[in-house]
Amino acid sequence: MTNFIVKKVAVLGAGVMGAQIAAHCINAKVPVILFDLPAKEGPKNGIVLRAIENLKKLNPAPLGNKDDAALIEVANYEDNLDLLAGCDLIIEAIAERMDWKHDLYKKVAPHIAPNAIFASNTSGLSITALSEGFDAELKERYCGVHFFNPPRYMHLVELIPTVATRPEIIDQLEGFLTTTLGKGVVRAKDTPNFIANRVGVFGMLATIYEAEKFGLTVDVVDDLTGKKLGRASSGTFRTADVVGLDTMGHVIKTMQDNLADDPFFAVYKTPEVLAKLVAAGALGQKAGAGFYKKVGKDIQRLDFATAQYVTGGAKADEVVARMLKEKDPVKKMKTLRESTNVQAQFLWAIFRDAFHYIAVHSASIADNARDIDFAMRWGFGWNVGPFETWQASGWQEVAGWVKEDIDAGKALCNAPLPAWVFDGRTGVHTPEGSWSAASNTYVPRSTLAVYDRQAFRATVFGTGVATGATAGTTVFEDESVRIWHQNDDVLILSLKTKMHVLGPGVIDGMEKAIAEAEKNYKGLVIWSADAAEGGAFSAGADLQAMLPLFMSGGVKAIEPAIVRLQQAHQGLKYANVPVVAAVSGLALGGGCELMMHAAKRVASIESYIGLVEVGVGLIPAGGGLKEAAVRAAKDAKGTDLLQFLKNYFTNAATAAVSKSALEAQKMGYLSADDVIVFNAYELLHVAKVEARAMFDAGYRAPMKAPVPVAGRYGMATITAQLVNMRDGGFISAHDYKLGAMIAEIVSGGEIENGAIVNEQWLLDLERKAFMELLNHPKTQERIMGMMQTGKPVRN
């Protein structure tokens, strides 16, 4: 085995993409130098310093912890090119001008270390043309590496080698991008706009064309092409506004300039409406107007006919919305094609245009169909890729319909579907691999060692690969949980409830899993099969499950359920084998408490963690406040306990939720020795490694140690602040009550400062407060409001 370790990265260009790529390197603890031109006035590195300052203001936040902005090293091309010699990876991310890039390359090339990888973050320029002028040795270490915006959150990175790029360079870079930066890598051919932008922007152009043809407004199109279609909620026109209409225009121009022989060339014409908006400076969200414009609290839409902004908010026809809810993709596609509803005809048209395009261009833009599907899923937010959609909808029948439309002149061009489409196949994805139109064979998945870390890789429809929901050997399964293993020595508990909420079935499952793990395994990992696809770790207690108890026996009937939840969490903490929580996505309320009681946590960078019970008028009662008191006592190490307690109190009293796992560490929900992973597909592997290592190191359950608390002194100090907030009108009387209860619990109650209690004392305080609140009319209003609307009620 040969390690490839990127010890330092240089990013050339402190614009929107360059600065955010640098920020994500810092998230991943990779030292980075950010370069730009020397400033004409003020400090020479002023351009870079302003870019770094701006990183702290952006939303969504590029940095997992804003304090880490200070870790980005600043540099300029005039004084600091010698710093490039210490970098293993150099990423150029300046404006999309071939001449500007070449001028910069001439400056930096002499300073690049002999083993460093040099890459351009271009969104569509020819990598081969960019490498012209390099000596042969540097050409071998040069490639394209196309991040999608925003780089921290978008999973896709396209890797684009030239014919001169050494294969091992691409393999090494794929490993770094996958594990260290947490990306989904697709290898693209060196063609204009590569895969995702080529297919995605064509799709947007086709959608604009078909929308005008069928007379649909931008808001209706966005409703049809957003979540209802299993795509990004922003739909088509809103996505264009977010990306920037000038940016979209640039990508379109790249297609116009380089694809004159493309049979779809006429579609690459800049839509008149887009050209007029750009000319008027209405560049989308960043300019305050584009296809949409915010006027006061209202969002208005552009009316194509009048070029004026009018009231928006129109939705898809209900009949079409019902068509899109059809579970059987074959029936759904057939219904859309045969419907006389204009919106359904529009949807069939954009499906047909996409299928036609990818079939014609598959051989030239990608190595195989799988890479096209992943590029659209990871780069454009589609739940299902275009080839997957076609295959699931009935390959041959859909192919026949597309051919009929081409022959009838209804398609966007008259290019015929390739012969391979009609060779009797049922699709392009098989257990053996995915179809490569370029090589006329099925291409299996990459066997790079980095993918050994992904127990369940992202799959495509038709491969028949076992998923985390079905693989391995099941020990126990019901509608709430699955307890299973991968035929090895670590047991896995997977939650199956909606949003993985905690109800009686999950508590039963926890108890069974701990007993089984203690008897036969080295450890227990709590991990759910949809962790890598954005599923929640756990959204908290199952309020719906409490309703029957409440209706039959009133508030008192719920108390045994709270006792069981507390005991289950204590069971995790004091299990005789290590319990590791594999956290990704939401870990809220009871989900946060569950995670806090594990022996260790392995968290995806995109973990959003917090005790949020005050939003429904309650306080945490599954041991979260007890753990806050315990952790504050450990942090204080005999010094002023209150200073450490305030952080935990504030987070719970304000229902603060971390915006990343790094911020969760700062908030105290994750410990300093918890592990943060950047690729959620690696979560299970790393969690099992940690559990096994703890067991092999001689793991013993923690001792039930006494807990020093702040008592009346802590309560009084914290409550004084709450009084000021209440009297100043910043919080309601009920918020004050909730805050005072939280202060009482984390301080240990009406006892002396420095008094010693045990964990059960704190759990009893939690439970008592929780039960009192359940009887409170204001809390009942909040619970019902949340269950009815999904939004917190402030009363």
Side-chain angles (χ1 to χ4, degrees), residues 51-70:
I52 292 171
E53 199 57 34
N54 190 51
L55 288 172
K56 302 176 191 174
K57 303 171 188 172
L58 289 178
N59 187 27
L63 288 158
N65 180 356
K66 289 181 182 178
D67 296 345
D68 288 346

Side-chain angles (χ1 to χ4, degrees), residues 455-754:
F456 302 101
R457 295 168 71 174
T459 59
V460 285
F461 178 86
T463 56
V465 176
T467 67
T470 58
T473 299
T474 299
V475 175
F476 172 83
E477 185 168 15
D478 62 11
E479 61 185 11
S480 298
V481 301
R482 180 181 180 227
I483 301 170
W484 61 288
H485 57 83
Q486 293 178 279
N487 301 313
D488 58 18
D489 51 7
V490 176
L491 193 64
I492 303 165
L493 171 65
S494 295
L495 310 191
K496 293 171 57 181
T497 50
K498 185 178 181 182
M499 298 287 285
H500 305 147
V501 292
L502 310 178
V506 171
I507 294 172
D508 286 342
M510 280 196 271
E511 292 169 350
K512 284 185 173 71
I514 292 167
E516 178 66 22
E518 287 183 333
K519 194 184 300 181
N520 295 312
Y521 297 88
K522 287 187 172 183
L524 173 66
V525 167
I526 303 173
W527 172 88
S528 293
D530 59 354
E533 279 76 43
F537 174 72
S538 171
D542 186 355
L543 294 176
Q544 294 280 3
M546 289 187 183
L547 269 181
L549 288 172
F550 181 76
M551 298 303 289
S552 63
V555 168
K556 201 67 183 167
I558 292 173
E559 187 163 12
I562 302 304
V563 172
R564 277 201 73 202
L565 180 64
Q566 291 181 339
Q567 289 173 342
H569 286 165
Q570 289 293 90
L572 293 176
K573 181 173 182 176
Y574 293 106
N576 290 309
V577 291
V579 177
V580 177
V583 182
S584 184
L586 299 176
L588 303 179
C592 177
E593 293 175 305
L594 167 62
M595 173 204 85
M596 290 172 79
H597 284 82
K600 191 159 197 173
R601 287 140 294 277
V602 173
S604 162
I605 175 72
E606 301 310 332
S607 294
Y608 312 111
I609 301 169
L611 296 171
V612 296
E613 285 82 354
V614 296
V616 287
L618 293 168
I619 55 97
L625 299 180
K626 176 266 297 179
E627 278 299 298
V630 170
R631 291 181 181 199
K634 283 183 181 175
D635 295 342
K637 297 184 177 71
T639 61
D640 183 7
L641 177 58
L642 187 59
Q643 295 308 310
F644 295 89
L645 205 54
K646 282 180 179 177
N647 182 45
Y648 293 102
F649 163 79
T650 302
N651 290 333
T654 60
V657 176
S658 75
K659 296 181 180 67
S660 71
L662 294 167
E663 190 175 27
Q665 268 184 330
K666 189 177 175 184
M667 293 167 74
Y669 289 131
L670 295 178
S671 306
D673 60 351
D674 286 335
V675 179
I676 296 175
V677 300
F678 280 68
N679 196 319
Y681 287 101
E682 298 183 354
L683 202 59
L684 179 59
H685 167 80
V686 177
K688 288 176 64 176
V689 166
E690 290 293 329
R692 198 175 283 119
M694 291 168 77
F695 182 91
D696 289 345
Y699 179 81
R700 298 285 302 176
M703 301 288 283
K704 294 186 178 179
V707 185
V709 293
R712 294 186 195 92
Y713 162 68
M715 287 171 59
T717 307
I718 294 171
T719 305
Q721 295 173 352
L722 290 171
V723 169
N724 292 335
M725 293 176 72
R726 181 195 61 194
D727 294 349
F730 297 105
I731 60 174
S732 69
H734 197 53
D735 289 326
Y736 170 80
K737 180 178 181 64
L738 293 165
M741 283 181 156
I742 292 171
E744 178 182 3
I745 296 161
V746 297
S747 299
E750 288 278 359
I751 54 179
E752 293 301 314
N753 179 26

Side-chain angles (χ1 to χ4, degrees), residues 80-96:
N80 308 120
L81 289 179
D82 58 309
L83 296 176
L84 292 174
C87 297
D88 311 288
L89 172 62
I90 298 161
I91 300 172
E92 170 270 306
I94 68 168
E96 294 286 86

